[in-house]
Amino acid sequence: MVTIKEIAKAVGVSSATVSRVLNYDPALSISPAKRQAIIETAEALNYETPRNRNKATSQTAPSLLTKLVIVHFLEPSDEIADPYYIGVRLGIETRCRDLRTEIVKVFHSDALPEAGLLSGASGVIVIGKHSDHEIAWLRQHARHLVFADFDPNDDALDSVFSDVELATMKILDALKAGGYSRIGFIGSHERLNDSVQRFAEKRCAAYIDWQRKNGTFEPDLLALADCSTGQSLRLETGYRLAHELLALAQRPDVIVTSNDNMAIGAYRAFQEAGLSIPKDIAVVSFNDIPVAQFLTPPLTTVRIHSEHIGETAVDLLLERLSGRSYGKQVRIATELIWRDSCRKPR
């Protein structure tokens, strides 16, 4: 059984550094190359977390899924920067390791994957948003296809995702019940089908709909980033957008960010401005990455079960390989985790 100490020795870093990387701590100061080396070394040595060591390794019909291709919408450097998407991929890989399935990973690039790579695999799992053109191409060349963390809105396709629109509505209802009135939003526009779809990102669209229904919509309370690949995942984006909201004549009393990385950037902006969280300004976010509970103050955030999304995607492939002929869409429930960055309604 491989240990963290052995991984640390192989890479040439401390055990503490390996532990923080494998626990997806984005606050760790480490080069992208070194972070990637740790993750790849852990995978190569078949490192298993204590939770996974306790899981049974025998699964039903392990020979059905002999080879899997993972097609990712992010570049490797963007995925490494965001623990949520690492969680989705590791959920897939953990389940496949139990099944002794060969895995090939294809990250985002300007070109589509090699067609023979897909057709030669038992199935393909696609992580994240893809255009209609990409989806059509993938359907043409993959034997079996599952989308993880993305719903293509096609009943014939298998997908597993969480309803972030519903989660956003629940957050806003709770904030209103907690006495907050000026609710700001930090996020991004949507980029899909080779075009920018302004205000179409699901959390952003739900925020606008809720504000309009309540008669409280103020466009100035929206701070949205460029929607290029990976941009919305960066800490510095949250930092910059938070400054935009702080520059308003009347700043928000609470801000909802579309992911925890943005929230971490916003924390820094507020603290540099001498504001106390949540006394002067509150923060709520999405994803519940491991570091969220260790921020000062701990971050209130929506827990999206990324590893379960990945595991369920593999299970959907197994069902297809076992003979299921109809499309199936699975929604994984979210959970709002209340911590000290926001006042909880009574």
Side-chain angles (χ1 to χ4, degrees):
M1 185 178 298
V2 178
T3 65
I4 284 179
K5 185 177 181 180
E6 290 172 305
I7 297 170
K9 182 178 179 181
V11 181
V13 297
S14 68
S15 297
T17 297
V18 172
S19 178
R20 292 179 68 182
V21 168
L22 296 182
N23 280 286
Y24 325 136
D25 183 353
L28 175 64
S29 179
I30 187 174
S31 70
K34 187 68 74 173
R35 185 186 296 271
Q36 185 169 0
I38 291 171
I39 292 173
E40 290 180 350
T41 301
E43 292 175 349
L45 295 177
N46 292 321
Y47 173 76
E48 292 184 308
T49 63
R51 185 191 76 168
N52 290 332
R53 291 172 194 156
N54 295 326
K55 293 175 65 176
T57 57
S58 60
Q59 301 289 339
T60 303
S63 61
L64 290 176
L65 187 58
T66 56
K67 183 177 181 180
L68 169 71
V69 175
I70 299 175
V71 178
H72 211 305
F73 85 115
L74 292 177
E75 298 175 3
S77 60
D78 289 321
E79 190 217 37
I80 288 173
D82 190 65
Y84 173 77
Y85 285 105
I86 293 176
V88 174
R89 179 169 58 82
L90 291 184
I92 296 170
E93 293 178 352
T94 298
R95 189 79 171 87
C96 286
R97 185 163 57 245
D98 293 339
L99 297 166
R100 293 173 172 78
T101 300
E102 178 188 353
I103 297 175
V104 177
K105 291 171 280 190
V106 180
F107 286 91
H108 174 81
S109 69
D110 293 332
L112 290 165
E114 174 63 38
L117 179 65
L118 303 189
S119 61
S122 306
V124 176
I125 294 178
V126 183
I127 299 177
K129 296 173 287 189
H130 284 73
S131 69
D132 293 343
H133 168 70
E134 291 168 331
I135 292 171
W137 188 89
L138 289 164
R139 292 181 74 170
Q140 179 183 355
H141 295 287
R143 297 184 192 177
H144 300 287
L145 190 62
V146 176
F147 290 85
D149 198 55
F150 177 61
D151 179 13
N153 293 316
D154 186 332
D155 287 344
L157 294 174
D158 290 353
S159 60
V160 52
F161 54 92
S162 290
D163 191 339
V164 294
E165 294 166 296
L166 177 61
T168 302
M169 295 290 188
K170 288 182 176 179
I171 286 174
L172 296 170
D173 286 339
L175 293 176
K176 181 180 179 181
Y180 292 104
S181 57
R182 287 184 59 77
I183 305 173
F185 182 86
I186 288 176
S188 65
H189 297 294
E190 185 77 280
R191 179 182 288 276
L192 199 59
N193 294 322
D194 300 320
S195 66
V196 174
Q197 301 176 14
R198 294 177 61 80
F199 312 112
E201 193 278 323
K202 290 184 176 181
R203 279 157 285 221
C204 176
Y207 167 85
I208 293 172
D209 288 346
W210 186 91
Q211 291 281 32
R212 284 177 171 163
K213 288 176 182 176
N214 284 270
T216 53
F217 179 59
E218 295 182 41
D220 287 347
L221 291 177
L222 269 173
L224 301 178
D226 177 285
C227 47
S228 59
T229 301
Q231 179 70 28
S232 65
L233 306 178
R234 299 173 185 168
L235 281 67
E236 60 265 28
T237 302
Y239 176 79
R240 174 175 57 82
L241 296 178
H243 275 295
E244 291 184 15
L245 294 181
L246 290 179
L248 296 175
Q250 185 180 1
R251 67 170 182 260
D253 50 13
V254 60
I255 288 179
V256 178
T257 67
S258 62
N259 60 66
D260 292 343
N261 276 6
M262 282 189 166
I264 294 169
Y267 263 50
R268 179 184 169 193
F270 300 151
Q271 290 163 353
E272 286 181 355
L275 299 177
S276 173
I277 304 172
K279 181 180 178 181
D280 299 319
I281 189 165
V283 184
V284 182
S285 188
F286 281 85
N287 291 357
D288 193 31
I289 62 176
V291 75
Q293 61 185 307
F294 300 113
L295 297 178
T296 304
L299 178 63
T300 296
T301 182
V302 174
R303 178 173 294 163
I304 303 178
H305 300 280
S306 59
E307 288 194 34
H308 294 320
I309 288 175
E311 292 168 354
T312 303
V314 177
D315 292 339
L316 288 174
L317 269 184
L318 289 173
E319 289 180 11
R320 283 288 194 178
L321 290 165
S322 297
R324 175 168 56 80
S325 59
Y326 55 89
K328 188 173 184 180
Q329 296 79 47
V330 178
R331 188 181 76 182
I332 303 295
T334 63
E335 180 184 1
L336 181 55
I337 307 298
W338 290 97
R339 299 194 180 102
D340 294 340
S341 69
C342 181
R343 182 172 63 247
K344 184 177 181 180
R346 295 180 180 179

